Every structure is written in C-alpha cells, then in structure tokens.
C-alpha cells in the first residue's frame, strides 16, 4: 500500500547569522564520538537502539504523563513509561534542531529536572551512525519523507503484567502513543501487514515469549535495502548471569514477557541474533526499549554516551537555541567548505529532473560524481584541524549543513 503523507508540516529552518548566535559558557570537553565496545557485533545495516536507562539502572513508570505536555492527539493520558514519553516530548517540542544528540540530551534534561535518575542511552550497529543527523524512525536516506521509504514494518509491545505482583499501568498507553506517532508523524502504515501490536489486554496478540520472538522474526523477514523497521517495547527488563561469556560485566539484559514465570525472558543475545545479525546492508532498524536495565539490550557494537561536561554544554546549547555546531567560525566554515558540493548537488538534481530519471541508481552515480571533487579532502583536513583545536583550546568548531537533504548528500 502507498505510504501516507505525514500530517505534521516541516518546521521552517531558522536562519541565524554568526552575530545572532549566543555565546556558550560551558566548555564542551573531549570531542563527542562513538565507542566500539563489541567488535564482533559490527553489522552493515543501520541499527540504532534508544534505551531508557543504563544497564545498571531502573526505568520509571510515570503515573501521570500529563506532566510531559504532549499534544492531545499524541495518544492517551494517564500512566506511561518515562523513556517513551520523554522521547515523544522532545520530538513534538520546537528545538533548535532535531538531531539524535538534541533528542538524547533533551530526554536526559527533562528526566533529571523532574527527579528521575535514569540516563537514556544510544547504541548502534556500526560507525556510520551520525548523531548530528535529524532523529528519524525512517531510513536515513528518506530525509524524513515517507514517500522515499521502502517497506515499513513495526512491532509494538506493551506488557502491563495483569494479575501479577509486578503489574504496570502505562505500557499499553505507550504502545498507543507510538502507534499514533509512527502513523501520523513518521508516515508508517498501520495495516496488519505493516504493523503488529502485542499487549496483554485480551484484545491484541498476547506478549508471551513465543509471540514476541515470532513477531521479531516477522519484523526482519524479507527485509531489503531501503526498508524502515521499528521495534518498541514497554514493560519490565531484568539482568541475568551471562550464559554465553560475551558480556564484559558478566550480565545479560533481557525483556520480560507476560508469561515470564513459565517461559523465562527474551535475552539480549537472542534479540541480536534474531533482529540484527540477519539484516542485509541498506536496511534501517530503530529500536526503543522503555524498560529497566536496557542500556545494551540489543548487544550492538557501538555505544554513544556523554560525559557530564559534554551534557552540560549541549544542554546550554539547546536552552539558548543554538543549532548543533552553531557558532561564528563554524557558520563561516560551513559556507566555504560546503559551497562547492552544495552547488554540485543542485546541478546533479537539476540534471535528474530535466531528464526525468526515476532510477535511484543514476541519482547515486550523479551524487558520487558531485562529491568526488577535492573539496572532500579539504573538509577532511578541516575536521582534523578542528578536532585538534578543540582539544587544545576548548573551542567547539564543527561543519555540518543545517538542511536535511544537504546533510544526506554530503555524507
């Protein structure tokens, strides 16, 4: 079926001159970068996990999600997971930019300011993940436009553990909010062939261990380059002794299904093998785990964490509404370094438009030609110099285009 056009209109880009950008007082510290923790789990597919807390932490179930200030059409009020609702709050809010970094910092800021100790985490399957890119549940190449997406599939799991001594109140609501966001904002189809919902509400498929594992297999079955997949879980998470000997801390993390007393839990090793290892190159999978002990719940290769100094700097940047890498020097450098490739991109796009070529392969060839000029070497040298300068002076200088389509092209 045709992908629905999202109802949410794109926010106009706020043009800020070098003079209008406020000065940031907090130092950035060391450059923010990915950390390789599990080399054996590097994969070609675009896989990102946004989790509600560190492995050793617990994730809260909030009794009244009205405190998050979500719009009325976001879904039901009442109880809900802190991670899911903090993420949605950041995505609905008008931030200076919609990058992964801004969403992560915004979530952590809100949770900390409201008395929650949990620290949201991001991990990914390879070093191609760019935290400066706009946050999106769609494939990165789509630029947020579902019309450019391949097949979309989503599995949404909410477990309230009805009738047990560990019952929750908000997991079903989290699923409903995610279903609304995926369809209304991200452009996902929600027919039975594109979206599956598991809840212990007596109506949807039961979130038993067998059904969760079956849904995960369905999610990735037949996945091909360009497809956008989403896995969302709201419920309990636990830590167990590492059975495979692959965990540095000796502990596995696991999802808790509704029949955990009889069937046990869904361990991170199995989630990686089912959902990640089999994905072909070019597929996108974004997972949101709103449960305790979820930091590395998919055993992905790279972790993305912030030091306190980095967090303080980014929090100030967002509060003062400075776009990512927005300062006088980087604005100047942006104009110089990206002038040639941006012009080349426009020429390439015009050429494609004139001949009305629908083949994506031809478009990719034109883009490769446009970016094969020496300016790539200039930018690489500039990035190295900027990193060295940052270490020595504390000044944060970066080059990154604000326009989503330009960002995709240059990368």
């Amino acid at each position: 079926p045709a992908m629905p056009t999202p109802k949410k209109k794109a926010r106009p880009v706020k043009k800020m001159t070098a003079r209008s950008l406020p000065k940031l007082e907090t130092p950035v510290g060391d450059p923010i970068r990915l950390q390789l923790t599990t080399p054996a789990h590097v994969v070609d597919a675009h896989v990102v996990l946004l989790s509600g807390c560190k492995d050793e932490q617990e994730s809260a179930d909030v009794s009244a999600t009205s405190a998050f200030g979500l719009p009325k059409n976001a879904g039901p009020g009442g109880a809900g997971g802190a991670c899911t609702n903090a993420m949605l709050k950041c995505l609905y809010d008008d931030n200076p930019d919609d990058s992964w970094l801004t969403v992560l910092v915004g979530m952590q800021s809100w949770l900390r300011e409201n008395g929650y100790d949990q620290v949201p985490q991001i991990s990914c399957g390879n070093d191609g993940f760019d935290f400066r890119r706009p946050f999106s549940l769609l494939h990165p190449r789509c630029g947020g436009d579902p019309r450019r997406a391949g097949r979309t599939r989503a599995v949404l799991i909410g477990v309230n553990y009805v009738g047990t001594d560990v019952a929750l109140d908000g997991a079903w609501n989290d699923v409903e909010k995610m279903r609304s966001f995926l369809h209304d904002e991200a452009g996902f189809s929600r027919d039975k062939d594109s979206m599956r919902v598991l809840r212990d509400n007596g109506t949807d498929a039961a979130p038993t261990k067998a059904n969760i594992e079956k849904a995960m297999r369905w999610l990735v079955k037949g996945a091909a380059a360009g497809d956008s997949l989403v896995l969302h879980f709201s419920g309990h998470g636990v830590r167990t002794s590492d059975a495979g000997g692959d965990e540095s801390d000796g502990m596995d993390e696991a999802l808790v299904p509704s029949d955990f007393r009889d069937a046990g839990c869904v361990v991170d090793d199995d989630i990686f093998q089912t959902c990640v290892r089999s994905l072909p190159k070019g597929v996108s999978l974004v997972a949101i785990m709103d449960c305790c002990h979820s930091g590395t719940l998919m055993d992905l290769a790279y972790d993305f964490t912030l030091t306190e100094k980095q967090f303080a700097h980014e929090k100030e940047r967002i509060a003062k509404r400075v776009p990512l890498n927005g300062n006088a020097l980087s604005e100047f450098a942006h104009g110089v370094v990206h002038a040639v490739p941006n012009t080349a991109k426009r020429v390439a796009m015009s050429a494609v438009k004139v001949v009305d070529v629908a083949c994506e392969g031809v478009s990719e060839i034109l883009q490769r030609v446009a970016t094969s000029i020496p300016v790539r070497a200039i930018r690489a040298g500039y990035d190295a110099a900027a990193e060295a300068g940052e270490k020595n002076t504390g000044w944060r200088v970066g080059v990154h285009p604000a326009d989503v389509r330009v960002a995709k092209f240059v990368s």
Side-chain angles (χ1 to χ4, degrees), residues 34 41 47-49 122-127 129 300-304:
L34 301 174
H41 285 186
V47 184
V48 183
L49 166 63
I122 288 179
S123 56
C124 53
N126 60 57
D127 60 1
F129 171 72
L300 299 180
Y302 286 85
D303 288 342
F304 175 65

Side-chain angles (χ1 to χ4, degrees), residues 308-335:
E308 280 298 317
K309 185 178 291 187
Q310 291 167 340
F311 169 74
H313 178 87
E314 295 302 325
K315 181 181 178 181
E316 182 192 6
R317 176 184 65 79
I318 295 172
K320 292 184 176 180
R321 302 196 59 78
V322 177
L324 192 58
N325 290 331
N327 56 56
L329 185 55
S330 67
E331 288 291 314
F332 172 76
H334 172 277

Side-chain angles (χ1 to χ4, degrees), residues 274-323:
T274 301
C275 296
V276 181
R277 178 64 81 186
S278 61
L279 286 179
K281 184 177 181 180
V283 175
S284 172
L285 168 62
V286 178
I288 299 113
M289 298 295 181
D290 192 349
C291 59
C292 300
H293 314 296
S294 54
T296 60
L297 195 46
M298 294 182 74
D299 272 353
L300 299 180
Y302 286 85
D303 288 342
F304 175 65
T305 57
L306 299 176
T307 65
E308 280 298 317
K309 185 178 291 187
Q310 291 167 340
F311 169 74
H313 178 87
E314 295 302 325
K315 181 181 178 181
E316 182 192 6
R317 176 184 65 79
I318 295 172
K320 292 184 176 180
R321 302 196 59 78
V322 177

Side-chain angles (χ1 to χ4, degrees), residues 42-95:
V42 175
V43 294
D44 291 329
H46 173 264
V47 184
V48 183
L49 166 63
L50 175 61
S51 53
C53 61
K54 297 179 180 179
D55 283 343
E56 65 273 17
Q57 290 183 318
E58 295 181 349
S59 187
D61 191 41
V62 183
S63 58
T65 57
S66 57
F68 289 89
L70 300 179
K72 291 182 179 180
N73 64 348
C83 170
T84 299
N85 286 274
M87 178 194 73
L88 292 176
K89 172 180 173 57
C90 293
L91 295 178
Y92 282 116
D93 281 353
D94 183 20
N95 291 309

